[in-house]
Amino acid sequence: MAADNTAIIQMHHVDKHYGELHVLQDINLDVQKGEVVVLIGPSGSGKSTLCRTINRLETIDSGEILFEGKPLPEEGKELAAYRAEIGMVFQSFNLFAHKSILDNVTLGPREVLGTPKAEAEMEAMELLARVGVAEQAHKVPAQLSGGQQQRVAIARSLAMHPKAMLFDEPTSALDPEMINEVLEVMVELAQEGMTMVVVTHEMSFARRVSNRVVFMADGQIMEEGTPDEFFDHPKTERAKDFLDSIRGH
Amino acid sequence: MSAHATSMRDALYEAPGPKTRRRTAIGTVVSLVLLAVGIFFAIRQFYITDQLNERYWSFLLEWTTWRFLLEGLWGTIQVAIVSGIISMLLGLLLMLGRIGHNKVLSVICRVLTDLFRSLPSLLLIYFFFLVIPKYGIRMPSFWMLTIPISLAASGVLAEVFRAGVNAVPKGQTEAAMSIGLTHGKIVRKIILPQALRIVIPSLVSQLVVVVKDTTVAYVVSFPDLMQNARVLISNYDALVSMYFVVAIIYILINYAINQLSIYLAHRSGNKIVTRASENPL
Amino acid sequence: MGVGDVIAEFGGVYVSSLLSTWLMTIICFLGGLALGVLVTVMRVSPIKPLRVVGDFYVQLFRNIPTISLLVIFVYALPYLGLLLDYRTCLIACIILVVSSFASENFMSGINAIGVGQIEAARSVGLSFVQIVRLIVIPQALRTTVLPMTNLLIATLLTTAIGSQVPLTPPELTGMVNYVNSRSVAGISAFVVSAICYAGTALVIGYLGNKLDKRVRIVR
């Protein structure tokens, strides 16, 4: 758990305010290569914000975030190039509404990496097949179910060959019967050794797949540990209350 | 979920880094300088053409000037309100006829709606001003203005009402049918009350179009704001100042109407439907 | 005088009137679009004064009655040292008004895109320019087809204020006056002009709807 130089993502003393609200308080977090870290906590705990600071969709007030030992670029080409190395999957999928499924996946490789069209499309089709939506390649996002859209969003990220992936509540907007099809893709990714930071309420996923669970409340990291430690022997009252509340239903 | 910047135009930009901040600051300064230069030259143009001379403006300090303008404004308001009411009733009838079960009536209403929407109000005004009198029908200037403006607006309003009816969820009709209401009752008791509430902001914003249409009142010699301004211009020989003042009054009125419509839309949570289709005459 | 007589006697003038109305409509619409793009760029720029000026511009020209603007151009500007011919005044006024509505349409097209897609585009590594070129502009254009169709029809109808200044040939509304002052045409002159307007609007509306169906973005 101690910071060492093999950590791919390092956050040191990160603070962030929204006006009066102190949404991130002295966050220290390291993610090792190949590690799957799950962020959980009640809504408003700052877990999504934390996830989004890692590819600078949110800026921070103080502290530092390092990726592969280098501080995040602040703007311009360097920032874009950095983001191309990090995949991001959103709660609301955010597929490009005017592009076909195939074009959604090839857009990044073609425009950012300069991959030739034929090659990009071939790889995109492989990825779409892998997440199980190859038949939908020529439809537009609105024609797909939420679960299918989210799997396309994952394929879109994978097409960039990311070094790490961020998942910001990827199943929260889905109907219950679609949650598993998305989680299965994520489990597969984890097993292949992808570095992942996952904000989720899916405790089964956290228990099965993650190497580490980080529990947040009120903008602070309250505790962290292996899934077994955390779920079976939570240390803080806040974590106990939280676990009770989600098991209670 | 994080508290985002709300508008899309802010969302287009990242939180700026140091280089971006510097560039934005330079842009801000340059644009401010250009703006100041522009304003300076505009005022200078007024000055060197002697249009800032107080004899062109002093009459605006007299109560009689404003009383006369207000009389004109009252004329404008009368035409606007009466046109607003007539066009609303007519628009509602056109829409009801169109969505009704009578095929013939439906086609007629549809054709009339499309026709009124595709004719300039000025052409309709000419019809009442130039054509109707040739058939021996005499009409006060108020109606020569109000009727054509109402007709032109009624076509757009029929479409606004129809958008409102379409915005009422389908489930409402189904629920009403399931308790055995007839078509007429469903429209009257279930659909219309909801549709009307939905379109209130749009109706208000359409009032802007009506106000704009009234500005050609001088064609039929009806004493509205613009017509009375023309009289003042010939009395005081102060054309530039008068036309600018009148323009500002119109802009403020229409701005206020638009703001009211936005406020109503905001309060009721409804969008302003078909605002884009208003005729910007 | 029936419609047939009016066409027999004034047919030639009507044709040139219709063509000149169409030409004016196209010039004003394209000019309005171009200026509208410029104003929209100002309104979405990160530079505050440009935004304020852009917003102010739109409020100014979407709220001013075109007639009120026209009398300023025709009668007031000469006193300020700017003398333009009637047609130029007319076209300039309509372009100013149309551009403010065009900008409003563009803005709502941009607003319809949603923050999420911009963030997704950023996450993929697209630069600001790429996001604008590949995501914002295509979507904004495709969602504004229908409002812009309505604006084109509105532009056509707005050219009717050309009847308030002397034009050769007169535009379609001025034709009613033109014909009536030369013969006892009664309703016929009105009918011919009305058919020209309604026919043009019908065709524009039809084509706009067809285009919209092809490019509409389902959300």
Side-chain angles (χ1 to χ4, degrees), chain A residues 147-164:
Chain A
Q148 290 173 324
Q149 289 194 48
Q150 194 61 300
R151 284 183 278 153
V152 174
I154 294 174
R156 175 175 67 182
S157 288
L158 289 176
M160 299 298 292
H161 305 289
K163 292 179 178 166

Side-chain angles (χ1 to χ4, degrees), chain B residues 4 8-14 45 49 118 126-127 134-135 212 218 239 254-255 258 275 280-281, chain C residues 43-46 51 55 59 62-63 66 79-80 101 111 119 122 154 157 161 164 173 180 187 190:
Chain B
H4 281 296
M8 260 307 286
R9 63 174 167 184
D10 289 323
L12 281 178
Y13 302 97
E14 308 253 358
Q45 197 63 22
T49 53
S118 57
Y126 273 133
F127 178 76
K134 299 222 160 152
Y135 295 90
K212 288 180 177 180
Y218 62 83
L239 184 144
N254 289 336
Y255 180 76
N258 270 325
R275 208 170 85 183
L281 175 87
Chain C
R43 293 174 79 192
V44 300
S45 84
R51 281 188 183 195
D55 287 348
Q59 288 305 334
R62 66 173 284 190
N63 285 319
T66 322
Y79 283 97
L80 294 167
F101 282 86
N111 282 328
E119 293 190 339
R122 250 176 229 157
L157 304 189
I161 63 164
Q164 303 307 301
T173 299
N180 267 285
I187 198 168
F190 167 82

Side-chain angles (χ1 to χ4, degrees), chain B residues 35-49:
Chain B
L35 190 62
V37 170
I39 292 173
F40 168 79
F41 275 103
I43 294 175
R44 179 169 167 273
Q45 197 63 22
F46 272 80
Y47 180 75
I48 59 179
T49 53

Side-chain angles (χ1 to χ4, degrees), chain A residues 18 48-49 52 56 58-59 74-75 79 83 91 168, chain B residues 1-4 14-21 23:
Chain A
Y18 284 130
S48 273
T49 308
R52 291 162 54 87
R56 208 182 179 272
E58 304 280 350
T59 51
E74 285 188 285
E75 59 194 327
L79 179 59
R83 281 176 175 152
Q91 180 177 358
D168 185 7
Chain B
M1 287 290 95
S2 47
H4 281 296
E14 308 253 358
K19 258 189 238 156
T20 318
R21 259 196 297 272
R23 252 181 254 146

Side-chain angles (χ1 to χ4, degrees), chain A residues 93-108 110-111 136-144 149 152 156, chain B residues 8 12, chain C residues 109-110 112-114 116-122 124 126 129-145 212-219:
Chain A
F93 332 133
N94 298 343
L95 295 181
F96 305 128
H98 62 309
K99 299 227 171 253
S100 72
I101 297 305
L102 184 63
D103 289 345
N104 261 277
V105 180
T106 57
L107 183 76
R110 289 183 61 192
E111 296 291 338
Q136 328 289 336
H138 297 288
K139 294 184 177 167
V140 291
Q143 293 171 295
L144 269 57
Q149 289 194 48
V152 174
R156 175 175 67 182
Chain B
M8 260 307 286
L12 281 178
Chain C
I110 292 172
I113 297 168
Q117 287 190 55
I118 305 300
E119 293 190 339
R122 250 176 229 157
V124 170
L126 296 178
V129 175
Q130 283 174 317
I131 293 174
V132 170
R133 181 166 59 85
L134 298 167
I135 310 294
V136 177
I137 291 178
Q139 291 202 37
L141 284 184
R142 287 167 64 168
T143 42
T144 49
V145 169
D212 176 63
K213 285 223 174 69
R214 260 185 48 196
V215 302
R216 178 184 293 170
I217 299 165
V218 205
R219 287 182 205 278

